[in-house]
Amino acid sequence: MTEPDVALSDFGLAFLSIYFVLTLLKQPSRATRYVWIFLFASLALASLCGGLFHGFFLDPSSMHQFLWTVTLLSIGITAACIWMLAGITLFGQKAKVACAIFATVTFAMYVFVVLRVSQEFVVAITAYLPASVTFLVAALIVYFARKS
């Protein structure tokens, strides 16, 4: 294993994400349930591919390139799900369509950059960090507004 610390932490995250998907599948249907399922499924895929990449395929090969591309695209799906959850958290279910359009457009731009411009990890960070911070702020706003 070439980078065991990174690979094993990725595999752990993949396992935990799969557990969350399976747990969510057993829950009663809620408005955002499937968005959460897609978020954790894409995170599981990104982590699994990232673990394989860092653990076994660091040397340039076709598998190396395939795993890295799938990892980056899966991170983009995760970011799109986070954007949707942030928007729905802030603006409610009535904004679901607008949030889906925004998430789809940002994902499409991300896919273009990953496939045509750059596959540096900073591109993935640029996709998921603003979404994550926005979701954190949305969750804090709702928490303090409802006190729960």
Side-chain angles (χ1 to χ4, degrees):
M1 192 175 288
T2 51
E3 293 180 341
D5 53 339
V6 179
L8 292 174
S9 62
D10 277 348
F11 292 143
L13 184 58
F15 177 78
L16 189 59
S17 297
I18 291 168
Y19 171 77
F20 288 149
V21 167
L22 296 175
T23 301
L24 285 164
L25 285 171
K26 296 176 186 175
Q27 299 298 314
S29 186
R30 291 181 39 206
T32 59
R33 176 175 163 233
Y34 289 108
V35 181
W36 284 104
I37 289 171
F38 280 115
L39 183 148
F40 286 116
S42 63
L43 185 57
L45 181 60
S47 300
L48 178 62
C49 290
L52 291 170
F53 175 85
H54 286 287
F56 304 103
F57 295 100
L58 276 182
D59 293 329
S61 66
S62 57
M63 184 58 80
H64 165 94
Q65 185 60 44
F66 172 77
L67 287 171
W68 187 244
T69 302
V70 172
T71 300
L72 291 175
L73 294 176
S74 299
I75 291 170
I77 295 169
T78 304
C81 291
I82 295 170
W83 277 121
M84 281 198 62
L85 290 167
I88 292 169
T89 300
L90 276 175
F91 305 113
Q93 286 298 315
K94 293 179 181 179
K96 185 170 50 176
V97 173
C99 295
I101 291 169
F102 177 78
T104 302
V105 169
T106 58
F107 178 67
M109 292 187 306
Y110 175 77
V111 169
F112 176 80
V113 171
V114 166
L115 295 180
R116 297 286 181 213
V117 179
S118 173
Q119 290 197 348
E120 294 294 320
F121 191 67
V122 70
V123 173
I125 294 169
T126 304
Y128 75 76
L129 186 60
S132 299
V133 170
T134 303
F135 182 64
L136 174 63
V137 170
L140 289 172
I141 288 170
V142 170
Y143 173 78
F144 286 115
R146 297 181 187 163
K147 301 291 185 211
S148 65

